[in-house]
Amino acid sequence: MGRIIVTGAAGFIGSHTTDRLLAEGHAVLGVDNFRTGHRRNLAAALKQPLFSLVEADVSAEGVMDAQVKDFKPDGIIHLAALVSVQESIQDPQLNQLYNVTATERVVAAAVAHGVKRIVFASSAAIYGDTRDLPIAEDSAKKPISPYGDAKLASEVLLLRQTGPGLTVRCHRYFNVFGPRQDPASPYSGVISIFDRRYREGKPVTIYGNGGQTRDFISVHDVVRANVIAATAPRIASGAANICTGKATSLLDIVGIYGARYPAVPPPTFAAARPGDIVHSLGRPERAKAELNFIAQVPVQEGLAELIRVG
Ligand code: UD2
């Protein structure tokens, strides 16, 4: 079994990734500054003897170097980030710190101490507003936010370091959803917002006509991709979409919630958000070819789980 450092371990994707690694018998060191992560997400992990947790900032000088030197991981799953696109627009310097400098620290520590593998949380945001659907990995990369710029820059600096000793995998996540996703901001993932509203018995707001579609992928599939990339023998470095290849509209989602919560008033409709894209869909073939990864959780099933466990 391996030894893995998970940065951003207290976050939405990080905590699920940590749980899965522990369940498979790996030793995990979580690093998180708890800026947007929550200790409650690690309630189960903290009971496991193979888990340890360091409260520290990945972007700070010396932090990753010391942790990697001490823990001697086989791999690092780097998920710590400034996760809000909106916040990256409001505070580009903070975005630079958490989404670029932090990656530089991870790479430097990995190279200095001979870590064999890095898995990085990239994003479909690197493609920007492409109309060329479904999106393949070699599509044009024209990010439209500092967040997308930073994810692309991180990919470049990570993939530059690959060699016989270090394998890097960049995962371009599409719209991830599932339990523990934080609905706190109006710009949080739409499913987390809708889930909270239906639970509270309040109508959701649909911006536009609800016909817009996204490639929604369950966090459990994303976690499986992370664990494969961190632990599978003999994989090559590269970047791939982590998506389902299936489009789901907001009306589809509201239909599922409406059936489950019949007493909640129907959605209200408001003007489409400026800059909102109508359709986003990824091509999943490269992850299948390079990682043998195929998303397995249908959206209906993922939503049923979310409605059940919250
Ligand atoms: C993602 C980013 C966003 C921006 C965009 C660029 C997230 C969470 N958001 O947005 O910041 O970079 O990519 O393409 O990663 N919606 C509603 N009602 C709500 C909330 C959302 O109708 O209460 C709509 C929203 O207008 C959009 C769809 O739901 O049409 C999905 O919104 P999202 O923010 O979950 O994800 P996305 O892909 O638009």
Side-chain angles (χ1 to χ4, degrees):
M1 287 299 121
R3 300 174 65 76
I4 311 284
I5 290 183
V6 178
T7 74
F12 165 46
I13 298 173
S15 62
H16 285 288
T17 300
T18 297
D19 287 345
R20 175 88 184 209
L21 288 166
L22 292 168
E24 292 191 8
H26 301 287
V28 179
L29 171 68
V31 183
D32 206 296
N33 63 0
F34 292 98
R35 182 174 175 271
T36 50
H38 301 285
R39 208 167 281 271
R40 63 172 183 267
N41 290 344
L42 292 170
L46 284 163
K47 294 185 188 132
Q48 303 279 330
L50 284 174
F51 181 63
S52 45
L53 176 65
V54 172
E55 181 167 353
D57 194 320
V58 173
S59 69
E61 190 168 359
V63 164
M64 285 309 288
D65 191 76
Q67 297 306 328
V68 170
K69 190 175 175 193
D70 185 45
F71 189 73
K72 300 180 179 57
D74 303 296
I76 301 172
I77 304 182
H78 177 40
L79 307 174
L82 182 141
V83 294
S84 162
V85 173
Q86 195 57 26
E87 193 176 16
S88 82
I89 296 165
Q90 284 154 2
D91 195 341
Q93 280 176 321
L94 203 63
N95 173 66
Q96 180 72 22
L97 182 67
Y98 288 140
N99 287 343
V100 182
T101 306
T103 309
E104 286 169 347
R105 306 283 194 219
V106 167
V107 171
V111 169
H113 302 291
V115 176
K116 293 187 221 54
R117 200 154 304 178
I118 302 175
V119 180
F120 171 61
S122 185
S123 168
I126 68 168
Y127 298 116
D129 188 2
T130 179
R131 308 252 187 270
D132 189 15
L133 300 179
I135 303 171
E137 285 82 353
D138 53 6
S139 298
K141 286 157 205 77
K142 294 181 186 157
I144 52 171
S145 64
Y147 175 87
D149 292 341
K151 289 293 182 185
L152 186 54
S154 283
E155 280 201 7
V156 171
L157 67 91
L158 277 160
L159 290 167
R160 195 187 286 145
Q161 295 296 335
T162 59
L166 174 62
T167 302
V168 170
R169 291 300 315 182
C170 297
H171 284 343
R172 297 174 184 163
Y173 303 143
F174 278 62
N175 290 65
V176 187
F177 74 98
R180 302 182 196 159
Q181 190 172 30
D182 197 342
S185 137
Y187 295 95
S188 297
V190 64
I191 291 179
S192 70
I193 295 172
F194 282 10
D195 188 75
R196 175 187 269 184
R197 296 286 294 179
Y198 276 99
R199 266 169 213 287
E200 292 173 350
K202 296 176 187 156
V204 300
T205 301
I206 293 178
Y207 301 115
N209 65 11
Q212 64 264 56
T213 61
R214 294 293 183 271
D215 190 328
F216 290 107
I217 182 164
S218 163
V219 69
H220 302 302
D221 277 326
V222 166
V223 162
R224 222 160 33 75
N226 288 347
V227 175
I228 290 170
T231 62
R234 289 179 299 281
I235 54 173
S237 292
N241 293 338
I242 300 299
C243 62
T244 67
K246 297 192 175 69
T248 304
S249 73
L250 290 196
L251 292 178
D252 294 334
I253 291 166
V254 160
I256 291 169
Y257 271 96
R260 173 66 180 72
Y261 294 95
V264 176
T268 56
F269 289 83
R273 284 176 168 171
D276 201 9
I277 57 171
V278 182
H279 300 295
S280 168
L281 184 66
R283 287 192 70 124
E285 288 84 359
R286 194 189 277 185
K288 163 77 174 96
E290 296 185 353
L291 299 173
N292 200 23
F293 167 77
I294 303 177
Q296 288 172 351
V297 183
V299 169
Q300 296 78 352
E301 233 174 70
L303 289 178
E305 184 216 7
L306 184 59
I307 290 168
R308 204 169 55 242
V309 308

